[in-house]
Amino acid sequence: MKVTIAVFLRAMFLISTALMVYDYIKIEQYFIQMERGIIDGFEVYISPFYGNLFAVVSVLFLLANIIQLIVVKRNKNAEVKSFLTFEYDVTDERTVDITRKSVSYAFAVLLIYSLIVIGSYMFIPNYFLDYPWYPIFATASIPIVGLITYLISFKVHQYK
């Protein structure tokens, strides 16, 4: 359950950041279109939802890490320096081994997927004007795919 929560919070953190950046890029797109004479003017409404979502997810992520640090400090068998994230119990050797395997699978998928995503930028040469959402969300999807791969491989190895 900890792994699922950790992956969900990290993915929401990346998505909320991408949504905030998209609002900014959309406004920049309007300025470029106005400068080139494509449009005469524009109206802007920036929703506070994305910033609030980012703040809530950041606080939840920080709280989860603080709680895990307190739990690790209270455990006499665990070393505090071995605390990395709240995804697994540092005292359980089996979980540490599962995490190592899951990270290696996620890294392999991440390398392949990032090459595909970066290569796809060649096919959209005017993406800033026509598709401003594509590079933002495609770039944000790279770590999210790695996190989902990590979660799936962790769960598969956990129930072996």
Side-chain angles (χ1 to χ4, degrees):
M1 186 63 170
K2 288 181 183 180
V3 177
T4 306
I5 293 170
V7 168
F8 176 75
L9 285 175
R10 284 189 175 99
M12 288 303 298
F13 186 74
L14 291 164
I15 290 168
S16 63
T17 303
L19 288 170
M20 287 191 322
V21 170
Y22 175 70
D23 273 350
Y24 175 78
I25 294 296
K26 190 72 175 163
I27 294 169
E28 287 294 318
Q29 178 192 24
Y30 287 143
F31 278 116
I32 291 170
Q33 288 175 342
M34 201 167 76
E35 183 179 293
R36 293 182 180 179
I38 298 171
I39 60 174
D40 293 328
F42 61 91
E43 293 181 21
V44 175
Y45 172 74
I46 298 176
S47 173
F49 174 75
Y50 304 129
N52 294 338
L53 177 67
F54 179 80
V56 168
V57 170
S58 299
V59 168
L60 288 174
F61 189 70
L62 182 64
L63 285 174
N65 278 301
I66 290 171
I67 290 169
Q68 180 62 17
L69 182 61
I70 291 169
V71 168
V72 169
K73 276 190 172 186
R74 286 187 180 171
N75 189 343
K76 301 293 183 202
N77 297 332
E79 295 179 21
V80 177
K81 68 180 179 181
S82 65
F83 164 76
L84 297 174
T85 60
F86 62 92
E87 288 146 3
Y88 64 93
D89 183 10
V90 292
T91 60
D92 186 4
E93 289 181 25
R94 183 176 175 267
T95 308
V96 173
D97 186 50
I98 291 170
T99 300
R100 181 186 55 78
K101 289 177 185 176
S102 299
V103 166
S104 66
Y105 288 130
F107 187 68
V109 169
L110 197 69
L111 288 176
I112 294 167
Y113 183 74
S114 62
L115 285 173
I116 292 169
V117 168
I118 292 170
S120 73
Y121 291 162
M122 292 186 307
F123 300 109
I124 305 177
N126 294 326
Y127 57 82
F128 280 119
L129 285 180
D130 299 329
Y131 309 103
W133 53 268
Y134 181 77
I136 296 166
F137 293 113
T139 304
S141 74
I142 293 172
I144 291 172
V145 166
L147 287 168
I148 291 171
T149 304
Y150 172 78
L151 174 65
I152 292 170
S153 63
F154 188 90
K155 293 293 183 181
V156 166
H157 283 96
Q158 189 177 27
Y159 295 114
K160 266 189 177 179

